[in-house]
Amino acid sequence: MLLQTRRETNGSAEKIVQTTQLTCTSKTRRMVVMWRSSSASDGSGPVVVIAPAFCRQMRHLVALAYSLSMNGAIVYRFDPLDHIGLSDGQHRDFTLTGALESLSAVVDFACSSEQRRSLVVVGVSLLSRVVTRAAALDRRLSRLIHVSGVVDIRSTIARATQCDFLGMEREMLPNTAQFERYTIAPPFYDDAYHEGWTGVESAAADLFRVSQPVVAFQPTADEWVDLSLVRELFQSRENSGPRYLLELPYGEHSLERNPVGLQTLMKHVTHAALADDLDSNDNFTVNLPGFDDIVAASLRERQFHRDSRKEMQTNASRVYQSAVGA
Amino acid sequence: MTQALSSCTATLVNRVLEEPSRLDRVIFGSRQDPFAMTPSERDHFLLDVVVDSLQHHVRNNPRVASFFARHNFSPESLGRLADLDTIPLLSADVYKRMRVTSAADTPIVRSFTSSGTSGAVSRIERDNLTLQRLSGSIRQAARLLEPWVPRDVNDEDLELVNLGPSREEAGEIWFAYIMAMAEIIAPSTYYVSGGVSYLEAAADAVMERITSGGLIGIVGAPFLLFELAKRFLSTKKRPKAHERLFVITGGGWKRNQAQAVVPSTLRAMTVEAFGLVSESQIRDGFNQVELNSIFFECDYHRKHVPPWVHVTARHIETLKAIPAGEAGLMSYVDASAMSYPCFFIADDLGTVSADPCPCGRTGPTVTYHSRIARQQAEGCSSKLDAKLTDRRRK
């Protein structure tokens, strides 16, 4: 399938962002579905992998994906295993270890397919914990970006669900806790304790082991994440690599409904992902998709997702293109 | 703020990124309900954002600067809420006669026109921030539609039947564009194509969705809803939607004014036609191309004005602000528009109410009565022009 929209933007050049649906196989032989977006004709741009927030799908990353790809990056997004979206598994079986398995499969695929030895990885919200642990284990992840990164999983889940799910005794656990319309279930609990995901200490241990640069974008009044904890961790001398904490003066954990906040985030994430040197103030111009471009792209990706879901049985390769003002 | 720490192995750079404006904090904020500000908070906020907005237009639009200078008006002179009625206003005709832009440095994303119901069309140019704020205004106003339009509704749980054209087909026509903005909330199917309305297909889609058990929204102009409701009422095969359907109308009756029924009649018809449980499931919204915000009805079918817009009714002859509760020509100062000056007297007759709404929200509500006839509107515009000329001479 090919979708293409052309639009003149005051005579300036337009960029064609092409998105292709791909699949890879995880180490437990399950299918992870990815979208690869790119506007570079020669395929020479840096590769960026984005992990979506909990209970969000890769289509919800359209603004970041477009901003990055319009500026030359090759962007991979994926739906984690046992999560909402197109990859294998049911959401009630979701675990952070399963998300780590999904990310590892995507990183392997992207490095092999794009013939790269390193790439940038972006983790949104809860999945920032996953990208951090992945980076501690895999030096191919040369730079990390956290967006509204979660530090204390137990506290964030308690705030978001009004239920201290991870603070309960195992035998007292409810069948599920509700987050928006989705559930957090016992497999998540068991994995969080068995694999050491819960607790600030475990977040600190993972972060401190990462010698690669980590750039965190954190809303200053995030209702689900304690900013002072993020500052504390990022300021710690136990860190083994450079840390950059960029505070966004917007109140919400999720910036997807705040187009002005999102625009600031797109600009700075793109810069953080593509700048040669994070310490230099090289102010290269970041081209951003406009509001209308993002609206149009979001609607196209929603349809792309729906069509994909219907046609998953055929496992057909799917592509669409859209043109956005540059 | 930049703070750099160095250690043997790690560096930290801690920096606070761009602060949003006071207006953007409210328009795009999710925690504070703009319709729940205390009257005092609301007054201070409105005054501040209007002053900021007018200063922006003076800085970026030489015509506005000279217009204000001719009227010996300065945004800095606004010290109290009552002073907002002293702001010199443009005639809505200005947008029909000339290009009016305050976007000195920012590119125009899209240009929109009015539907041309009364002949000449207004042309309004919007930049990125102005369009973003419009979308923020829609999201905030959608709070008034709860619980029928759930705030965090998942776009996989809801389908919209849009009785108008798609955004692409709407092109520059503002009314169709803004109705199609509902597609951001949920997937939409459009039932005007090539200028032809396919109401039969829309009726089938409603029946199918209700039968399949999903949530459905109908979006369209009142005259199209009227036609669709009549269609169901003329048959025995009607949907029994109960709580699973909501209706949003907007745009008025346009060229179908002769068939117009009063809103309460349309709501009663709609409840019966679709098998709804409450008239509260049907809400009307008001907007016009020159205005950058939308006013939705609450449960009590009162249209609430957001706190970044100042609305006053004006005497049809003298154009002076008249007390709340009296009908007059509607005038607006909308602080959310950046790319064009949004302070004008419109062609609509309406009433601004300062009475507390039973829904508990603060701020004024508005009721629209009719659009004044073209000839009358031209008369008013001439009077406005004459009045402005007189002021200039003084």
PDB file of all heavy atoms in Angstrom, chain A residues 157-168:
ATOM      1  N   ILE A 157       3.569   3.682  38.987  1.00  0.00           N
ATOM      2  CA  ILE A 157       2.364   2.874  38.752  1.00  0.00           C
ATOM      3  C   ILE A 157       1.306   3.186  39.802  1.00  0.00           C
ATOM      4  O   ILE A 157       0.114   3.299  39.493  1.00  0.00           O
ATOM      5  CB  ILE A 157       2.722   1.380  38.699  1.00  0.00           C
ATOM      6  CG1 ILE A 157       3.435   1.119  37.365  1.00  0.00           C
ATOM      7  CG2 ILE A 157       1.477   0.488  38.823  1.00  0.00           C
ATOM      8  CD1 ILE A 157       3.938  -0.270  37.183  1.00  0.00           C
ATOM      9  N   ALA A 158       1.749   3.390  41.028  1.00  0.00           N
ATOM     10  CA  ALA A 158       0.785   3.721  42.089  1.00  0.00           C
ATOM     11  C   ALA A 158       0.094   5.048  41.781  1.00  0.00           C
ATOM     12  O   ALA A 158      -1.114   5.192  41.947  1.00  0.00           O
ATOM     13  CB  ALA A 158       1.492   3.784  43.437  1.00  0.00           C
ATOM     14  N   ARG A 159       0.871   6.026  41.301  1.00  0.00           N
ATOM     15  CA  ARG A 159       0.276   7.335  41.011  1.00  0.00           C
ATOM     16  C   ARG A 159      -0.651   7.263  39.792  1.00  0.00           C
ATOM     17  O   ARG A 159      -1.696   7.905  39.757  1.00  0.00           O
ATOM     18  CB  ARG A 159       1.370   8.365  40.737  1.00  0.00           C
ATOM     19  CG  ARG A 159       2.196   8.710  41.958  1.00  0.00           C
ATOM     20  CD  ARG A 159       3.140   9.851  41.623  1.00  0.00           C
ATOM     21  NE  ARG A 159       4.248   9.942  42.559  1.00  0.00           N
ATOM     22  CZ  ARG A 159       5.099  10.949  42.616  1.00  0.00           C
ATOM     23  NH1 ARG A 159       4.967  11.960  41.783  1.00  0.00           N
ATOM     24  NH2 ARG A 159       6.084  10.967  43.475  1.00  0.00           N
ATOM     25  N   ALA A 160      -0.250   6.485  38.797  1.00  0.00           N
ATOM     26  CA  ALA A 160      -1.022   6.444  37.552  1.00  0.00           C
ATOM     27  C   ALA A 160      -2.289   5.605  37.680  1.00  0.00           C
ATOM     28  O   ALA A 160      -3.283   5.866  36.998  1.00  0.00           O
ATOM     29  CB  ALA A 160      -0.156   5.904  36.414  1.00  0.00           C
ATOM     30  N   THR A 161      -2.233   4.567  38.537  1.00  0.00           N
ATOM     31  CA  THR A 161      -3.384   3.655  38.614  1.00  0.00           C
ATOM     32  C   THR A 161      -4.181   3.819  39.905  1.00  0.00           C
ATOM     33  O   THR A 161      -5.208   3.165  40.076  1.00  0.00           O
ATOM     34  CB  THR A 161      -2.919   2.180  38.545  1.00  0.00           C
ATOM     35  OG1 THR A 161      -2.116   1.916  39.692  1.00  0.00           O
ATOM     36  CG2 THR A 161      -2.123   1.888  37.284  1.00  0.00           C
ATOM     37  N   GLN A 162      -3.687   4.661  40.809  1.00  0.00           N
ATOM     38  CA  GLN A 162      -4.299   4.807  42.148  1.00  0.00           C
ATOM     39  C   GLN A 162      -4.281   3.478  42.895  1.00  0.00           C
ATOM     40  O   GLN A 162      -5.159   3.199  43.716  1.00  0.00           O
ATOM     41  CB  GLN A 162      -5.764   5.300  42.072  1.00  0.00           C
ATOM     42  CG  GLN A 162      -6.043   6.404  41.086  1.00  0.00           C
ATOM     43  CD  GLN A 162      -5.262   7.661  41.402  1.00  0.00           C
ATOM     44  OE1 GLN A 162      -5.149   8.029  42.545  1.00  0.00           O
ATOM     45  NE2 GLN A 162      -4.690   8.289  40.384  1.00  0.00           N
ATOM     46  N   CYS A 163      -3.322   2.625  42.580  1.00  0.00           N
ATOM     47  CA  CYS A 163      -3.230   1.316  43.234  1.00  0.00           C
ATOM     48  C   CYS A 163      -1.751   0.973  43.375  1.00  0.00           C
ATOM     49  O   CYS A 163      -1.029   0.944  42.373  1.00  0.00           O
ATOM     50  CB  CYS A 163      -3.951   0.265  42.366  1.00  0.00           C
ATOM     51  SG  CYS A 163      -3.590  -1.433  42.809  1.00  0.00           S
ATOM     52  N   ASP A 164      -1.307   0.749  44.603  1.00  0.00           N
ATOM     53  CA  ASP A 164       0.108   0.435  44.826  1.00  0.00           C
ATOM     54  C   ASP A 164       0.338  -1.029  44.480  1.00  0.00           C
ATOM     55  O   ASP A 164       0.636  -1.862  45.347  1.00  0.00           O
ATOM     56  CB  ASP A 164       0.484   0.741  46.275  1.00  0.00           C
ATOM     57  CG  ASP A 164       1.979   0.586  46.508  1.00  0.00           C
ATOM     58  OD1 ASP A 164       2.730   0.407  45.525  1.00  0.00           O
ATOM     59  OD2 ASP A 164       2.401   0.631  47.679  1.00  0.00           O
ATOM     60  N   PHE A 165       0.227  -1.332  43.208  1.00  0.00           N
ATOM     61  CA  PHE A 165       0.260  -2.704  42.703  1.00  0.00           C
ATOM     62  C   PHE A 165       1.547  -3.411  43.112  1.00  0.00           C
ATOM     63  O   PHE A 165       1.531  -4.548  43.576  1.00  0.00           O
ATOM     64  CB  PHE A 165       0.113  -2.660  41.180  1.00  0.00           C
ATOM     65  CG  PHE A 165      -0.089  -3.984  40.525  1.00  0.00           C
ATOM     66  CD1 PHE A 165      -1.321  -4.617  40.575  1.00  0.00           C
ATOM     67  CD2 PHE A 165       0.940  -4.591  39.837  1.00  0.00           C
ATOM     68  CE1 PHE A 165      -1.506  -5.849  39.955  1.00  0.00           C
ATOM     69  CE2 PHE A 165       0.759  -5.818  39.214  1.00  0.00           C
ATOM     70  CZ  PHE A 165      -0.471  -6.444  39.278  1.00  0.00           C
ATOM     71  N   LEU A 166       2.664  -2.725  42.925  1.00  0.00           N
ATOM     72  CA  LEU A 166       3.949  -3.368  43.219  1.00  0.00           C
ATOM     73  C   LEU A 166       4.287  -3.338  44.711  1.00  0.00           C
ATOM     74  O   LEU A 166       5.260  -3.955  45.138  1.00  0.00           O
ATOM     75  CB  LEU A 166       5.070  -2.699  42.413  1.00  0.00           C
ATOM     76  CG  LEU A 166       5.028  -2.963  40.904  1.00  0.00           C
ATOM     77  CD1 LEU A 166       6.105  -2.157  40.187  1.00  0.00           C
ATOM     78  CD2 LEU A 166       5.203  -4.441  40.584  1.00  0.00           C
ATOM     79  N   GLY A 167       3.462  -2.639  45.491  1.00  0.00           N
ATOM     80  CA  GLY A 167       3.717  -2.584  46.929  1.00  0.00           C
ATOM     81  C   GLY A 167       2.954  -3.648  47.693  1.00  0.00           C
ATOM     82  O   GLY A 167       3.118  -3.784  48.911  1.00  0.00           O
ATOM     83  N   MET A 168       2.132  -4.423  46.989  1.00  0.00           N
ATOM     84  CA  MET A 168       1.295  -5.418  47.668  1.00  0.00           C
ATOM     85  C   MET A 168       2.042  -6.737  47.882  1.00  0.00           C
ATOM     86  O   MET A 168       3.025  -7.022  47.192  1.00  0.00           O
ATOM     87  CB  MET A 168       0.055  -5.704  46.824  1.00  0.00           C
ATOM     88  CG  MET A 168      -0.872  -4.518  46.727  1.00  0.00           C
ATOM     89  SD  MET A 168      -2.281  -4.965  45.718  1.00  0.00           S
ATOM     90  CE  MET A 168      -3.255  -3.484  45.900  1.00  0.00           C
TER      91      MET A 168
END
